[in-house]
Each structure stands twice: as C-alpha cells, then as structure tokens.
C-alpha cells in the first residue's frame, strides 16, 4: 500500500503541488487583509500604553510592505500561470513571502519599549500566538509556508519569556514550545491529508478521463469494425456479409407485404489479365473505378456490393424491381463501352450480367442467388458483354451439371466412364492406321453425357488428372492387344487439353501409366490443340518432355486457331488433324477443297502426316484422297465403339478382306 501511495504521489506530484499553490493563492487575499488588520490592532494596543513611537510605526510599515510584496508576488504568479506551469516555483516564492511576514511579526517585541511578556505586554504575546496559530490552521495545504510564518513568531515569544525568567515566564515558554511542536505536527499531518485527498481526486479524475478515452476508443473501434464488417476494403461498397443480410431482409419483407426483389450479378470479363500483366495495384484501381460507375448509375435505388474477386451484385427491391434493375443493367452495359483510366493505363472492361427476381424465379435468398448465378454463367457462355435473365431451362442445365459432378468420381472408379475408340483409315490402302480414344458415359438418370460435359465436370472437381489417367490406361491396354490383331504399327491417340499442362505434370503421369503396361511410346499419340503449342510457359516444357520420351505429337483441330510454324517445327509435331468443319461436304465445296489442299501441301513441306476428321460420305473420302490426304476418320468408316466391340469390328474387317482377296 505504501509503495502504491508513493507511486501515486510521484505520478501526481506536479498536479498536487499545483493544487497546494492554488489553495494558498485562493486564500491569500483574506489572509493578508487579516494580517494587516491584526497589525493595526497590535499598534493601537501598544499606543494606548506608550503612544505612537517611531519604532512601532516602522514595524507597522514593515508588516504592510511585507503584505504588499506577498500580494504583488501572488498576482504575478497567477498572471504568468506559474501556479499550473511551475507550482514548485510558486510555492517557493510564497513561502519566502510568508517567512518575510513571520520575521516582521517576530520583531514586534523588539519595537516595544521595555517589553514584558507576562506583564503589561501580555496582550501582544497573545496576539502573536493567535496569529501564528491562525496561520498554522489556514496553511494546512502546505505546511512549509505556514511554518515559515508561524515558527519565527513563536520562537520570538519563547526567547522573550526565557529572557525575562521567573517561574511564570518559564512555564509559559514551555507551554508555547509545546504549542509549537503540536502545531508543527498537526500542520504536517493536515498537509498529508490534503495531499492524499488531492491525489485521490486526481486519481478519480484520471480514471474518469481514462474510462472516457477508453469508451471513445471502443466506440471508434466499434465503428471501424462495423465498417470492416459491412464494407469491402477496396471499393468501399457493401461486402458479401452485408449483401447476404440485405438480401434475406428484402425477401422477408417482400414475403410479408408483397413486392419484388431483383438481383443482378455482374462479372468483369478477363479481369485476370489486368492483374497478371499490370499487377494487383492496377487491378484494385480498376475495381474501385468499376465500383464508382456502379454507384453513379444505381445511386440510391439499390444496394451495390462486391462479392469478391471481380464479381459485383446489385439488389433492387420494391415496385417494378425487375424493370428498374434491368434499366440499371442496360445503363451499365452502355457505360462499360467507355475505357477506364487507372494510373497511366486505360482499359475497356466488358461486363457479363445475370438477372433473377423474387418471387418469379425463386422462393428464397439462396434460390435467387443461384438463379442469378445461372443467368450470369449463361451470359458468359454466350459470348460475354451481355445481360441474361434467368429462365427455367437454365435450372434444368444446372441440375444436370450438378448430377454429372455428383456422380463423376464414382463413375470413373467403377468403370462407368468408358474409353471408346474410333478407327483411322489409310485412304490409299484402306488399312487401319490407328485409333482415337474418346470418352463416353451413360449416366443412369441422364443418359449419355457429352465429352465436353465430362471434361468440364472433371475440371470443376479437380479430377482432370484422374480422368486422363483413366483414359490413358485404357489406351495402353488396347496397345498391348493390337500386335495380336496384326496392328503392331497402329497408333492410338489420346486427347490432352491445354489446361491440363497447368494443373499437373502430364509427362509424369503418362510415364507412370506407360511404364506400368510396358508399351512402345512411339505407338501412343498425344493430341493437343493449337493453344497448347502457343502456351510456351504453361505447356512448352512438358511438350518437350513428351517429345523426348518418344511419344508422337499431333495438333488437333488444325486450322481453327493461330498455330505458329516455328512452334510446329521446333516441337517436331508428327501429325496435323484437320478439323471436321473443313471435311464435311468437301466434295461439293471448292473453297474447302482449296483450303485442304493448302494444308496438305503444308504438311508435306514439313514432313507431317495429315489426318482428316469428320469424313461421313464416300464422295468426301474420294475427294480427300485425291487432294493428297493420307489418313481419315469419320462415320463413313466407323463410329466410336467400346474396346470389345472394336476388337470384333477389327476381326470382321479382317475376314472380309480375306474373302475379297480369295474372290
């Protein structure tokens, strides 16, 4: 406790001394007036017995001068704010003033002729003891000041009593000495109480101020937390949490009192390119600029939120919400044509938007969000930069996609996803030149699921490597059976999408599968699209590994993209597969014939085999052979079929050729 009190006193020392100085200054005026009045009364008492002597009048002048000096000093201390800024200085000067007055009073007996403390001048002694005692009582705030005034006076009386001698004088001297000691002790004790009270008040004030500051800080932090909880830090728009709460509230209100709630989801097309090429700071600047455009367009007619990434949302509630939201969407679509400036760059960001309304398209917030998301996905799939409104057909597509994704992993593991093969025929000899592996899946509820749906679902579920590995295993198993069918030189093609090279190591996966089955890698052909050979960062290194490992490389859908001849040569591509759109009806299309002839000439110049897909008629096959195409595949020759059906087809074809040879 003592240590705590000492710490508090040290902490509040200047403030406490300031309070002491203020207390003394506050009562100094009345003290000085009283001092001068008592001085006058003492002079009158002396004058009644001895008259007005020069000594006593000089003493009166000295006490008045001392009082004036103390008054002037106090005035200056207050005027120049020493009480607050330097309380120690103020206390020191006021103590000197008190000592000056005390010494003047102590000199009073010396100014009275034949002073007798226990005789005719006892009244003077009584006045001196009284004024000293009064000073002690009045000076409880600061004991040093009161003692500076009182102690000289009482010591003067004790000295005179001792000087005069006699039992009465000695007893009175001892009494005055005892009074002095008691008064000093009491004065110090009173000062400690005063200081303790001041410290307690200061602590209480400091605590109150601390609590007020803490409360203000808590309020500010709560305000900041509220902003952080409800606002997106980049755009200042509502964030997903605020958006979710608002959507739930608006739909609940619409259910209770009627009305519409429209939800518009907005996606920035190709925003990732800005982040990748110009950096995330440029991307953030772009997001802020888009947010400003949304706010300027919608204003107070709805809630605007950034849901994350490059996706925004607008909620419009009340009468005609659907049409109001549609108007905002069309205005935003028009605004998006103007370039956005950020830093030293400019860019035009296209918007894809999906619109859905409650209660027409959904019965809950989750359904409304899902419906708008389906409409947005439809807008992006239809070419972007457009608005799409939800319709029930999108729900059917979404349900189908959900079922496909839900059952794909189990179907791959159980063999429900099959690998079928379509033969490739040598147009000149009619012999089987190879096969292309194609995925097929007959879903128990949906029926046949298209290959693009299977691939998209695998990408969404991160099963791309599993799916391609599953097909590669079927390809290797077929390759191990081909020598027994007199097709040891035939190749089997495996399709690999450009995206796969960025997800996993295709080369490592194929090495594991082919090593396990012990096949000749020269018989396994890897079909890639033109985008893959142009993506030197994502696929270039792996394609080199595949080439070094001995796999054949084929470019699928050649002529549909922007292949570079330099890449075709540097990668040592073995085959070019001409897209089916050029082969279909080629017998009746001079333009397609010229184009295929040019591609065949390019292939011959680069020493590449040319494979034509989608051959469906005998006339088209004849024209393609005439144009110099060597290998073709299509329904004219055979449809894709499961491996066992393929083996049977090969056997039947072999028997048919034997019969024709015998005949």
């Amino acid at each position: 406790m003592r240590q705590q009190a000492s710490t508090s006193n040290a902490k509040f020392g200047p403030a406490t001394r300031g309070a002491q100085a203020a207390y003394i200054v506050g009562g100094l005026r009345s003290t000085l007036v009283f001092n001068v009045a008592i001085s006058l009364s003492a002079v009158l008492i002396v004058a009644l017995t001895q008259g007005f002597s020069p000594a006593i009048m000089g003493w009166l002048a000295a006490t008045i001068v001392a009082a004036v000096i103390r008054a002037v000093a106090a005035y200056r201390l207050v005027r120049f704010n020493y009480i607050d800024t330097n309380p120690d200085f103020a206390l020191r000067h006021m103590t000197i003033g008190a000592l000056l007055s005390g010494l003047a009073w102590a000199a009073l007996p010396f100014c009275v002729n034949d002073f007798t403390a226990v005789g005719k001048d006892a009244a003077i002694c009584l006045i001196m003891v009284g004024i000293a005692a009064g000073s002690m009582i009045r000076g409880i705030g600061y004991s040093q000041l009161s003692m500076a005034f009182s102690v000289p006076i009482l010591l003067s009386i004790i000295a005179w009593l001792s000087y005069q001698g006699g039992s009465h004088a000695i007893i009175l001297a001892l009494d005055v000495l005892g009074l002095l000691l008691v008064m000093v002790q009491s004065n110090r004790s009173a000062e400690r109480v005063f200081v303790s009270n001041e410290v307690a008040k200061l602590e209480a004030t400091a605590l109150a101020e601390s609590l007020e500051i803490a409360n203000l800080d808590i309020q500010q932090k709560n305000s900041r937390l509220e902003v952080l909880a409800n606002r997106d830090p980049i755009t200042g728009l509502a964030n997903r949490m605020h958006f979710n709460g608002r959507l739930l509230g608006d739909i609940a209100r619409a259910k209770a009192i009627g009305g519409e709630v429209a939800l518009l989801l907005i996606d920035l097309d190709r925003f990732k390119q800005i982040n990748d090429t110009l950096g995330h700071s440029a991307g953030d600047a772009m997001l802020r600029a888009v947010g400003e455009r949304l706010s300027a367009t919608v204003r107070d007619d709805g809630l605007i939120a950034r849901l994350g990434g490059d996706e925004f949302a607008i909620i419009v509630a009340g009468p005609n919400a659907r049409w109001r939201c549609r108007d905002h969407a069309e205005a935003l679509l028009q605004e998006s044509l103007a370039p956005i400036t950020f830093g030293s760059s400019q860019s035009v960001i296209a918007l894809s938007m999906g619109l859905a309304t409650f209660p027409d398209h959904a019965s809950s917030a989750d359904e409304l969000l899902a419906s708008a998301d389906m409409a947005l996905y439809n807008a992006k799939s239809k070419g972007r930069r457009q608005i799409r409104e939800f319709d029930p057909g999108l729900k059917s597509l979404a349900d189908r996609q959900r079922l496909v994704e839900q059952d794909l992993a189990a179907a791959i593991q159980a063999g429900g996803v099959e690998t079928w093969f379509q033969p490739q025929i040598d147009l000149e000899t009619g012999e089987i030149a190879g096969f292309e592996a194609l995925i097929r899946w007959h879903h128990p509820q949906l029926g046949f699921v298209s290959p693009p749906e299977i691939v998209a679902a695998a990408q969404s579920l991160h099963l791309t490597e599993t799916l391609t590995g599953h097909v590669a295993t079927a390809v290797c198993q077929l390759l191990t059976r081909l020598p027994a069918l007199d097709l040891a030189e035939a190749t089997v093609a495996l399709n690999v999408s450009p995206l796969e090279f960025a997800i996993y190591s295709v080369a490592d996966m194929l090495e594991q599968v082919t090593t396990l089955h012990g096949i000749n890698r020269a018989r396994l052909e890897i079909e890639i699209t033109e985008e893959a050979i142009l993506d030197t960062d994502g696929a270039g290194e792996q394609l080199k590994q595949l080439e070094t490992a001995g796999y054949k490389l084929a470019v699928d859908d050649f002529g549909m993209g922007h292949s570079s001849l330099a890449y075709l040569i540097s990668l040592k591509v073995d085959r070019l597969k001409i897209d089916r759109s050029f082969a279909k009806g080629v017998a009746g299309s001079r333009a397609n014939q010229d184009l295929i002839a040019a591609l065949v000439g390019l292939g011959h110049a680069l020493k590449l085999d040319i494979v034509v897909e989608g051959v469906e008629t005998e006339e088209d096959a004849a024209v393609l052979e005439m144009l110099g195409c060597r290998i073709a595949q299509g329904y004219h020759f055979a449809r894709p079929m499961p491996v066992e059906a393929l083996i049977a087809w090969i056997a039947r074809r072999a028997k048919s050729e034997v019969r024709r040879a015998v005949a």
Side-chain angles (χ1 to χ4, degrees):
M1 292 293 293
R2 289 182 180 177
Q3 184 178 2
Q4 183 178 359
S6 177
T7 303
S8 297
N9 290 340
K11 178 180 179 181
F12 297 110
T16 303
R17 289 188 288 278
Q20 290 175 302
Y23 176 79
I24 293 169
V25 169
L28 188 62
R29 179 178 180 181
S30 60
T31 298
L32 294 177
V33 171
F34 179 74
N35 194 310
V36 171
I38 295 298
S39 300
L40 291 172
S41 67
V43 169
L44 289 174
I45 290 173
V46 172
L48 288 175
T49 58
Q50 300 180 10
F52 293 101
S53 65
I56 197 67
M57 296 307 295
W59 175 85
L60 177 62
T63 56
I64 293 174
V65 168
V68 170
I69 291 173
R70 294 176 67 186
V72 171
Y75 171 76
R76 290 178 61 82
L77 292 174
V78 172
R79 181 180 179 183
F80 294 107
N81 200 29
Y82 285 109
I83 305 299
D84 295 325
T85 60
N86 195 346
D88 291 328
F89 175 83
L91 288 171
R92 188 163 54 251
H93 278 69
M94 287 189 289
T95 301
I96 293 172
L99 178 62
L100 184 63
S101 291
L103 291 173
W105 272 96
L108 177 58
F110 297 96
C111 298
V112 177
N113 293 328
D114 193 20
F115 181 78
T116 305
V118 292
K120 63 181 179 62
D121 297 315
I124 299 299
C125 286
L126 182 61
I127 290 174
M128 293 176 67
V129 170
I131 198 170
S135 175
M136 286 285 192
I137 295 171
R138 185 68 185 84
I140 61 174
Y142 188 63
S143 61
Q144 294 182 35
L145 185 141
S146 60
M147 286 189 292
F149 178 82
S150 302
V151 169
I153 298 174
L154 295 177
L155 289 177
S156 175
I157 295 173
I158 293 170
W160 275 102
L161 288 172
S162 300
Y163 172 74
Q164 288 182 357
S167 59
H168 291 83
I170 296 300
I171 291 173
L172 287 175
L174 292 174
D175 288 341
V176 174
L177 179 60
L179 176 63
L180 174 61
L181 295 176
V182 170
M183 290 175 64
V184 169
Q185 181 64 30
S186 298
N187 198 241
R188 287 181 174 176
S189 178
E191 181 187 14
R192 286 195 293 270
V193 172
F194 180 88
V195 170
S196 178
N197 290 337
E198 285 300 320
V199 169
K201 286 194 295 184
L202 291 169
E203 286 180 337
T205 303
L207 178 60
E209 291 176 351
S210 177
L211 289 174
E212 185 178 358
I213 293 171
N215 185 51
L216 181 61
D217 186 54
I218 289 171
Q219 290 177 348
Q220 291 175 343
K221 286 181 178 178
N222 285 341
S223 299
R224 289 195 295 269
L225 288 173
E226 185 177 357
V227 170
L228 291 174
N230 295 318
R231 294 289 165 186
D232 171 57
I234 295 177
T235 63
L237 301 174
N239 61 12
R240 180 178 284 276
M241 182 180 296
H242 189 190
F243 163 82
N244 289 336
R246 177 67 172 271
L247 187 61
L248 288 169
D250 284 350
I251 288 181
R253 189 178 302 106
K255 285 181 178 179
I257 65 175
E260 286 184 327
V261 179
L263 173 61
L264 183 72
L265 292 184
I266 305 167
D267 188 83
L268 310 187
D269 295 338
R270 299 182 179 87
F271 172 74
K272 185 176 182 295
Q273 293 179 357
I274 293 177
N275 268 341
D276 292 344
T277 57
L278 300 178
H280 288 281
S281 59
D284 291 347
M286 174 64 73
L287 292 173
R288 283 191 289 271
V290 171
E292 290 170 1
R293 283 192 177 181
L294 295 178
S295 299
T297 301
V298 179
R299 298 183 183 275
D300 297 328
D301 194 32
L303 175 77
I304 309 168
R306 178 178 173 237
L307 303 185
D310 59 351
E311 190 173 15
F312 294 81
I314 298 173
I315 302 174
V316 178
N320 301 316
R322 175 185 178 185
W323 297 111
R324 286 156 50 207
C325 195
R326 182 88 189 188
D327 288 343
H328 294 323
E330 290 174 352
L332 289 171
L333 204 61
Q334 188 65 31
E335 280 287 324
S336 69
L337 298 176
I340 292 177
T341 301
F342 48 96
S344 59
S345 302
Q346 275 192 339
S347 181
V348 175
I349 291 293
L351 304 180
S352 295
M353 291 176 271
L355 174 65
T357 57
F358 169 90
D360 294 340
H361 303 144
S363 59
S364 67
D366 288 340
E367 288 184 9
L368 184 61
L369 185 59
S371 298
D373 194 52
M374 283 184 267
L376 174 62
Y377 181 81
N378 183 247
K380 294 169 71 173
S381 66
K382 296 296 183 182
R384 304 174 183 269
R385 199 188 286 275
Q386 56 184 293
I387 308 163
R388 287 288 176 173
E389 193 167 346
F390 175 81
D391 68 66
L394 297 177
K395 179 69 164 55
S396 300
L397 290 175
D399 289 341
R400 178 182 176 88
Q401 181 181 359
R402 179 180 55 80
L403 279 174
V404 170
E405 292 181 357
Q406 173 184 295
D407 299 336
L408 179 59
I412 293 174
Q413 186 175 5
V417 176
E418 300 179 315
T419 303
W420 288 19
F421 298 92
Q422 185 174 30
Q424 298 171 338
I425 304 301
D426 188 315
L427 291 176
E428 183 179 352
T429 65
E431 295 179 353
I432 298 173
F435 306 89
E436 181 181 3
L438 303 166
I439 51 174
R440 295 291 185 269
W441 180 20
H442 188 274
H443 192 278
Q445 294 173 254
L446 303 176
F448 278 104
V449 181
S450 69
E453 286 182 282
I454 300 172
V455 171
Q459 291 175 355
S460 177
L461 297 170
H462 305 290
L463 293 174
T464 302
E465 183 176 4
T466 301
L467 178 63
T468 304
H470 176 71
V471 176
T473 298
V475 168
C476 290
Q477 290 172 346
L478 175 61
L479 283 169
T480 60
R481 300 178 67 176
L482 290 181
L485 300 171
D486 293 329
L487 294 172
E489 299 302 316
T491 59
V492 181
L494 170 69
N495 287 281
V496 178
S497 72
L499 181 63
E500 295 185 59
F501 292 103
I503 298 175
Y504 66 96
S505 175
V506 176
D508 291 345
M509 182 275 291
L510 289 175
E511 181 180 1
Q512 293 178 7
V513 176
T514 55
T515 301
L516 179 64
H517 291 84
I519 63 128
N520 179 2
R521 291 172 183 168
R523 305 273 70 81
L524 177 54
E525 183 176 275
I526 310 301
E527 285 193 9
I528 55 177
T529 59
E530 296 182 67
E531 291 90 337
I533 62 174
L534 292 175
D535 183 11
T536 55
D537 292 333
E541 183 62 33
Q542 291 194 57
L543 289 174
K544 283 291 186 182
Q545 291 181 37
L546 293 173
E547 176 196 329
T548 303
Y551 301 100
K552 288 195 173 189
L553 296 180
V555 177
D556 197 12
D557 298 334
F558 186 73
M560 299 299 292
H562 308 281
S563 290
S564 166
L565 295 181
Y567 287 130
L568 290 176
I569 297 171
S570 65
L571 278 175
K572 298 181 180 178
V573 171
D574 299 285
R575 283 184 176 179
L576 300 180
K577 296 192 72 174
I578 298 176
D579 186 69
R580 65 183 63 250
S581 61
F582 301 124
K584 187 175 181 179
V586 68
S589 173
R590 183 66 183 177
N592 282 2
Q593 291 175 20
D594 292 340
L595 180 58
I596 289 176
L599 293 175
V600 169
L602 174 63
H604 289 164
L606 297 177
K607 296 182 173 57
L608 304 176
D609 282 341
I610 299 295
V611 179
V612 184
E613 299 177 295
V615 181
E616 297 183 357
T617 66
E618 186 174 351
E619 292 78 6
D620 289 342
V623 170
L624 290 169
E625 182 182 0
M626 179 189 67
L627 293 173
C629 296
R630 193 174 74 84
I631 301 172
Q633 69 182 81
Y635 287 177
H636 171 62
F637 305 106
R639 292 175 176 271
M641 61 193 86
V643 64
E644 296 304 327
L646 178 68
I647 299 301
W649 178 83
I650 294 172
R652 289 196 303 272
R653 182 181 175 84
K655 289 181 181 180
S656 175
E657 290 178 353
V658 169
R659 283 196 296 270
R660 282 199 300 271
V662 171

